[in-house]
Amino acid sequence: MTSAFAVTASRIFDGKRMHADAALVVEGEKIRAIVSQADVPAGMPRSGPPAALIAPGFIDLQVNGGGGALFNNDPTEAGIRTICEAHARYGTTALMVTFITDRPELKRTAIASGKEAAAHALPGYLGLHLEGPHLSVARKGTHDPALIRPMTEADLAYLESVAGSYGLAMITIAPESVTPEQVKRLTDAGYRVSLGHTDTPCAGVAPYVEAGAVMVTHLFNAMSQLGNREPGLVGAALSSPALHCGLIADGYHVDPVSMHIALAAKQGPAHIFLVTDAMSTIGTNETGFDLNGRAVYRRDGRLTLADGTLAGADIDMLSCIRFVHENLGLPLEEALRMATVYPAEAIGAGDRGALEPGKRADFVLLDGDLDLSSTWIGGTCVYDTASRRDRATA
């Protein structure tokens, strides 16, 4: 029989509401219950710092790298492990490792590595986010324009053949390079299709939503903007109740005023959720790295190509939560939902994102200053700041 234990805290946020002076009861890899501290069964092991806040573990659907590893440069299971471990130090308990536009043979290698990570149930690994190469050159961002191309029948058949083998699957496409019929086949195969890196007009979005697209990649960035006569993808994303929207809340990718407007305007039930778009610099002292043979520079909290183009982000998920809570004034509960409940809904991870009976015991302990105390994945503490080490690899 699996033993159970309790983690106590001044506050526990379950994804919907706060519980005061409560305990999270964990059994095996799952949550059994949230109870008052007085109702913890006698003799049950318990732990927890007195001023802690327990919250669901953070979920990040767009992570390019971390811990010195960039997935495009190191598309291996070891690279995935390094990335997951790096982000666990900032409270992320589940992430979509992102592979951006690159050579077809390298993408196949990346998917093979995703299969290995899924087969080994690598802690923190949720699946792969394939961002490109089927995008718009006009809105390429940091993607190499020489590698951007339309989706062919061979591309689609390959994606269908590997669907479901490497965890959850997410793909960012542009209407300029992919047809609604192709999107329908992708969604039928199990992919969560996201629109991004596109100059599509607002009216061009509806056929893709009808075909099954459910997300928009890094809202405002690398897409047609909201104008007075042409609402663009931004307008479509905010007005569509079906499109979940990722948002990079680092203060560089999107102005706080635009964030405020977007949050006020977004039509539900789909929500805006936080993503980091983090690169290899997270958890390191790196001053730069190479991407597709181009130098990326790390300066003043930003990552840029030589021409100033933003090249991913230099931020972790806990810092994104702090930004929307402290700089935008969002209630802490809503800031936490943007990193837990909402991305779980967007990617279809029904067993994560909230602290409810039967869900995975993925959670974080935060102190009164919202600094991380420890990270737990599947009921196991994988990182705590007291020891400053990854317990999963100790």
Side-chain angles (χ1 to χ4, degrees):
M1 182 176 178
T2 304
S3 60
F5 64 93
V7 185
T8 61
S10 299
R11 296 182 297 167
I12 297 180
F13 179 64
D14 65 8
K16 295 179 181 177
R17 66 185 184 91
M18 287 285 187
H19 302 256
D21 298 320
L24 182 71
V25 179
V26 176
E27 186 168 11
E29 297 184 349
K30 296 180 183 281
I31 295 163
R32 181 198 286 181
I34 294 176
V35 300
S36 70
Q37 293 186 20
D39 290 334
V40 175
M44 177 177 285
R46 66 164 75 190
S47 64
L53 164 66
I54 298 177
F58 310 147
I59 300 172
D60 195 342
L61 305 188
Q62 190 165 6
V63 179
N64 306 287
L70 186 69
F71 193 45
N72 276 66
N73 293 349
D74 185 10
T76 64
E77 184 185 11
I80 293 173
R81 181 182 297 275
T82 297
I83 292 167
C84 291
E85 289 176 353
H87 286 270
R89 296 168 197 162
Y90 302 95
T92 295
T93 58
L95 57 82
M96 298 292 284
V97 181
T98 301
F99 185 81
I100 74 165
T101 299
D102 215 313
R103 304 185 310 278
E105 63 272 19
L106 202 62
K107 182 168 75 173
R108 289 175 180 260
T109 298
I111 288 175
S113 298
K115 290 181 182 179
E116 294 176 0
H120 296 150
L122 197 66
Y125 174 74
L126 193 56
L128 296 183
H129 174 180
L130 306 176
E131 188 183 357
H134 312 300
L135 308 174
S136 165
V137 172
R139 293 286 184 173
K140 65 183 184 302
T142 193
H143 292 244
D144 187 343
L147 297 171
I148 292 174
R149 58 187 177 79
M151 180 177 286
T152 66
E153 174 59 29
D155 292 324
L156 181 55
Y158 170 68
L159 291 171
E160 290 174 321
S161 72
V162 296
S165 67
Y166 55 88
L168 297 182
M170 176 179 172
I171 184 169
T172 293
I173 60 94
E176 292 92 328
S177 291
V178 182
T179 68
E181 292 74 23
Q182 290 172 322
V183 167
K184 177 65 165 58
R185 285 174 59 180
L186 286 169
T187 57
D188 286 347
Y191 285 85
R192 306 293 278 190
V193 176
S194 187
L195 304 177
H197 288 275
T198 174
D199 221 14
T200 184
C202 182
V205 175
Y208 289 83
V209 174
E210 292 171 6
V214 293
M215 277 188 271
V216 169
T217 298
H218 45 50
L219 183 66
F220 290 108
N221 294 107
M223 65 183 60
S224 47
Q225 298 297 298
L226 175 62
N228 62 325
R229 292 187 178 88
E230 173 47 66
L233 179 55
V234 171
L238 297 179
S239 61
S240 171
L243 289 174
H244 304 265
C245 305
L247 178 70
I248 307 171
D250 62 355
Y252 298 108
H253 281 77
V254 184
D255 188 277
V257 173
S258 296
M259 293 187 205
H260 268 298
I261 293 170
L263 289 166
K266 180 68 183 106
Q267 299 296 300
H271 293 93
I272 294 174
F273 60 92
L274 296 172
V275 294
T276 62
D277 201 17
M279 303 299 266
S280 60
T281 53
I282 297 302
T284 76
N285 294 318
E286 284 185 341
T287 58
F289 54 91
D290 289 335
L291 178 64
N292 297 131
R294 298 164 294 166
V296 176
Y297 303 92
R298 185 188 201 185
R299 300 190 186 105
D300 303 320
R302 297 196 305 168
L303 302 172
T304 63
L305 299 177
D307 63 1
T309 301
L310 288 170
D314 190 21
I315 195 168
D316 59 85
M317 186 58 79
L318 182 53
S319 296
C320 288
I321 293 168
R322 284 201 197 97
F323 189 95
V324 297
H325 175 49
E326 297 170 1
N327 294 68
L328 301 187
L330 263 64
L332 178 58
E333 293 90 337
E334 185 64 9
L336 288 169
R337 288 186 194 101
M338 291 180 70
T340 57
V341 177
Y342 299 158
E345 291 174 350
I347 200 64
D351 62 337
R352 306 170 194 253
L355 303 181
E356 299 174 352
K359 289 187 183 289
R360 282 179 54 89
D362 292 355
F363 59 96
V364 295
L365 271 67
L366 306 174
D367 66 19
D369 295 321
L370 295 185
D371 290 324
L372 183 75
S373 294
S374 60
T375 302
W376 299 66
I377 298 178
T380 298
C381 181
V382 298
Y383 182 75
D384 71 84
T385 55
S387 64
R388 296 282 180 182
R389 67 176 182 172
D390 303 302
R391 293 191 174 185
T393 59

